[in-house]
Structure formats: C-alpha cells, structure tokens
C-alpha cells in the first residue's frame, strides 16, 4: 500500500507541475524532491519559500509559500527544529530574528538582494544625524544590521498604515525609493526616501504595458515598480495583495509586473488564468535549487547566525510593526 500511495503522490505532483513545465522535466525531479521530503522528516524541518521561487520548490518541497514576513511568521509558529529558507539572505535573517532558538538554513548563502544591499547600518546612522528626531521606517527587505538602526519595520502591504501610525510630520523611509513614493501619495506627512531599488522591478516601464491596453488584459504591478508603471497599472500591491486581487476579480488574462515565478506559482492554483509576459527573473532567487536544499538539510550547513547584540536591537522594530 505504501508503494501505491507513493506513486499516487508522485503522479499528483507531476500533474500539477505539468501546468508550468514539460511532464518529463517534472518527473525527472521527483526522486530529488522525495529525498528532500525524507530529509525534512528526519531532521524535523520545515521549508518556507518566497513567492518568487520556482514551482519545483514551492509545490514540491515547501510547507509554506508567501512573502518574506509571512514566511518568517509561519516558521516561528511551527514546532520545527530546523527552518529552511528558500529565499535570499535578508529573509533568512528575518526568520532567525523571529525564531532565535531554531536552526535556520539558507541553502544558497550567496543569495543576496540588490535592494537590501543598497543601504548599510552606517547609512542609517548618517540619516539620523542629518534628520535628528525624524523616525525611520525600514522595509523588511533590509539586513538585520540595518533593522537594528531603525524605529519600525514595514512590508509593502502595510507600509502606508505603519507610516500613518507614527503621527510624525516627517518620516524617513528606506531603502526602496519607489515604495517610498507609493507611500508618500497616500499619507499626509513628508516622506524622505532612500534611493534604493529592486533590480527586478526597476527594469519595468510603462512601455511594457502599452501593448496590452484595450486587449482585456488586467495589469498588476508591485509597488517596487517605478511610478510610471504604477500609474499605468490596473492594480498596485504586494505579492499577497496581488493573489487576493486575482481571487476576487477573477480576470481571464493577466500581466503581472513582478518576478516571473510569481505567475507560475499562481498558475498552479489558478490554471484558468492566462498570464502574459513580460516578467523579470531575480538572479538571486534562482540561486536556490533543489540540490542545494538537499545538501543543506543533509549536512546541516549554511546556518544563519546573527550577532546577539544586533539581533536584540533588530528584533524590536519587527515586533513594533506587529504591535501596530
């Protein structure tokens, strides 16, 4: 019976993956996926994956898929001994901040983020000197060292509410200048931006949208996209907000102006949607592979460690965001 059940599991997963890749490719990866699932059970591990990971990871091995903060929250609420983060370094750091007693593994230690790397802790201290007394809001797409220097964190979904909650006439917002612009249009206070950006979303322009006007295609853009893209889109929101929007509006044809794998992952659950291109790949996200996840679990390597003093300070703005 166990063999039959195993074959049934493989067939069901291969059928799902077959929506976004050739059947032969899906079947070829099933032995490795099975190895990872066995390692997860042996090590008491959970795998959390970002929406920008490929379906082989999100559908094949992940226990949870979502945005960076949702990944960390899910991991913190489990009783797993080990958390495997299929994402980039700042995501693994956030998971470690919220689950300090757990082992957190980042299968691809080289997985960085252009946005997180656009600002340093020294930059934040310089901003505080330049704007004394002005509160600093940091997008979660920042390193633990940067979080340790700010007052409160936010996500793209709650950034507006977090800034409003401060009740300050001026707010420093970092590091994404386009998300800062998005927030500035929706609050009464002055928003002082940092000139960082995401290399995936920064490459989009309104010209990418023009060919789809009048064709019935619904255009969704992430708030990390440039202002001209946001202005031309039908909807602007976080990855979680995009998924909610698609569930409520149920459009037939969609252009998602974000990372390419986002559309593939939505397609697994919503095969009725026709997704158009363009999209942009995140080279950092794609450094995470099934082989690296297997190796990290098998060998217990690629563990994330944060200086305790930095961790204690970095945890506070995350907790303050939750409290707000």
């Amino acid at each position: 019976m166990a063999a039959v059940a195993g074959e049934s599991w493989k067939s069901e997963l291969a059928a799902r993956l077959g929506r976004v890749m050739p059947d032969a490719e899906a079947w070829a990866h099933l032995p490795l996926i099975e190895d990872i699932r066995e390692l997860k059970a042996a090590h008491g591990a959970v795998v959390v994956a970002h929406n920008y990971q490929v379906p082989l990871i999100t559908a094949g091995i992940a226990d949870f898929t979502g945005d960076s903060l949702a990944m960390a929250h899910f991991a913190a609420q489990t009783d797993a001994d080990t958390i495997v983060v299929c994402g980039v370094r700042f995501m693994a750091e956030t998971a470690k901040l919220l689950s300090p007693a757990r082992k957190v593994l980042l299968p691809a230690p080289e997985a960085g983020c252009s946005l997180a790397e656009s600002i340093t802790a020294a930059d934040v201290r310089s901003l505080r000197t330049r704007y004394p007394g002005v509160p600093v809001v940091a997008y979660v797409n920042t390193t633990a060292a940067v979080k340790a220097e700010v007052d409160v964190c936010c996500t793209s979904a709650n950034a507006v509410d977090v800034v409003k909650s401060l009740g300050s006439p001026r707010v420093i917002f970092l590091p994404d200048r386009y998300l800062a612009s998005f927030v500035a249009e929706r609050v009464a206070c002055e928003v002082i931006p940092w000139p960082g950006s995401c290399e995936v979303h920064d490459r989009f322009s309104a010209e990418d949208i023009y060919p789809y006007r009048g064709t019935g295609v619904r255009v969704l853009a992430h708030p990390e996209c440039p202002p001209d893209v946001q202005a031309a889109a039908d909807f602007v929101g976080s990855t979680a907000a995009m998924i909610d929007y698609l569930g409520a509006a149920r459009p037939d044809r969609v252009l998602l102006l974000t990372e390419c794998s986002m559309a593939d992952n939505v397609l697994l659950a919503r095969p009725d949607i026709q997704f158009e291109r363009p999209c942009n790949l995140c080279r950092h996200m794609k450094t995470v592979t099934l082989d690296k996840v297997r190796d990290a679990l098998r060998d217990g390597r690629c563990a994330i460690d944060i200086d305790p003093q930095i961790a204690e300070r970095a945890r506070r703005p995350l907790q303050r965001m939750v409290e707000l």
Side-chain angles (χ1 to χ4, degrees), residues 256-295:
L256 283 184
L257 295 180
T258 187
E259 215 277 345
C260 294
S261 291
M262 176 77 176
D264 289 338
N265 287 319
V266 174
L267 192 59
L268 293 178
R270 292 288 308 278
D272 54 303
I273 297 179
Q274 177 181 331
F275 285 100
E276 307 290 345
R277 296 300 192 250
C279 64
N280 291 324
L281 286 171
C282 175
R283 60 189 174 95
H284 305 288
M285 286 285 182
K286 272 35 183 185
T287 60
V288 180
T289 64
L290 290 174
D291 297 85
K292 291 180 180 179
V293 174
R294 177 202 57 201
D295 294 348

Side-chain angles (χ1 to χ4, degrees), residues 85-298:
V85 177
C86 291
V88 297
R89 177 164 291 274
F90 81 80
M91 298 175 185
E93 287 186 344
T94 303
K96 184 66 175 178
L97 289 173
L98 295 181
S99 302
R102 316 278 183 83
K103 178 185 287 186
V104 175
L105 304 180
L106 178 63
E110 70 275 24
C113 170
S114 61
L115 186 54
E117 293 162 8
S118 72
I119 190 167
T120 67
D123 292 326
V124 182
R125 292 192 290 269
S126 178
L127 284 169
R128 286 197 180 278
T129 300
R130 184 177 178 185
Y131 301 101
V134 177
V136 182
V137 179
Y139 194 17
V140 290
N141 298 37
T142 46
T143 65
V146 166
K147 289 182 176 71
E149 301 292 337
V150 309
D151 296 296
V152 62
C153 288
C154 73
T155 68
S156 54
N158 67 14
V160 172
D161 290 336
V162 168
V163 171
K164 285 181 177 179
S165 72
L166 298 176
S168 174
R170 307 178 84 192
V171 171
I172 297 169
F173 191 97
L174 55 91
D176 191 281
R177 65 180 183 270
Y178 299 136
L179 181 56
S181 175
F182 176 86
V183 171
E185 293 180 356
R186 292 162 175 81
V187 298
C189 65
E190 178 189 359
V191 177
I192 303 167
W194 178 259
S197 65
C198 165
E199 65 185 48
V200 171
H201 296 99
D202 198 16
R203 297 201 300 270
F204 290 114
S205 72
E207 293 180 359
D208 295 321
I209 299 175
Y210 296 152
Y212 297 94
R213 283 301 176 212
T215 65
V217 173
R218 203 72 60 88
V219 179
L220 281 65
H222 196 279
E224 291 176 19
C225 290
D228 65 327
V229 174
Q230 296 186 35
D234 297 302
F235 177 81
V236 180
S238 65
T239 54
M242 287 180 178
I243 292 172
D244 291 342
Y245 177 89
L246 293 174
R250 304 190 71 82
D252 296 323
R253 298 173 63 203
V254 174
L255 176 63
L256 283 184
L257 295 180
T258 187
E259 215 277 345
C260 294
S261 291
M262 176 77 176
D264 289 338
N265 287 319
V266 174
L267 192 59
L268 293 178
R270 292 288 308 278
D272 54 303
I273 297 179
Q274 177 181 331
F275 285 100
E276 307 290 345
R277 296 300 192 250
C279 64
N280 291 324
L281 286 171
C282 175
R283 60 189 174 95
H284 305 288
M285 286 285 182
K286 272 35 183 185
T287 60
V288 180
T289 64
L290 290 174
D291 297 85
K292 291 180 180 179
V293 174
R294 177 202 57 201
D295 294 348
L297 270 171
R298 183 189 61 202

